[in-house]
Amino acid sequence: MGERTAGTLLRWRLVFRVTVVVTWFLIIAVIWFLPRVGTKAVSMAIFWWFRAVAVFGAIYLAYEVGQVSDKRVGVGGLILDAALVVPMFLFWFAVMAATF
């Protein structure tokens, strides 16, 4: 009973990180490498996926903050995950500002 274990969601940490990195590669590929090759629908679908990953990433970060405050996991993982997710929101808002 006294043993503290990390939550089930933290077991998916590697999958979460790989998903975020692949999503960053997709959005970079659409913007810089393939700007005119794909259709608008493909670009919008990838950006929709990017936004969804950003929102789920923020939820995951909130969960991870709770785990860090309970001292079930270290702060280093939280900092890495925040460094992956927070720029997603900055990019998302930059795109919104550019479209207005």
Side-chain angles (χ1 to χ4, degrees):
M1 275 304 244
E3 182 180 326
R4 299 191 131 193
T5 60
T8 306
L9 200 56
L10 289 176
R11 292 185 198 129
W12 290 86
R13 180 184 271 179
L14 180 63
V15 175
F16 165 72
R17 290 178 180 164
V18 169
T19 303
V20 170
V21 169
V22 167
T23 302
W24 269 113
F25 283 138
L26 279 173
I27 204 74
I28 289 169
V30 165
I31 292 172
W32 283 294
F33 300 131
L34 306 169
R36 303 284 184 246
V37 175
T39 64
K40 185 176 179 179
V42 172
S43 299
M44 293 303 291
I46 290 174
F47 190 66
W48 179 88
W49 173 255
F50 185 83
R51 290 184 301 173
V53 169
V55 169
F56 285 123
I59 293 168
Y60 181 81
L61 279 178
Y63 173 77
E64 198 169 7
V65 165
Q67 295 297 313
V68 167
S69 66
D70 285 345
K71 299 198 185 328
R72 293 184 181 176
V73 295
V75 177
L78 175 66
I79 291 171
L80 177 63
D81 291 337
L84 289 171
V85 172
V86 171
M88 293 179 95
F89 280 100
L90 297 175
F91 179 78
W92 180 7
F93 294 134
V95 169
M96 272 186 13
T99 58
F100 286 120

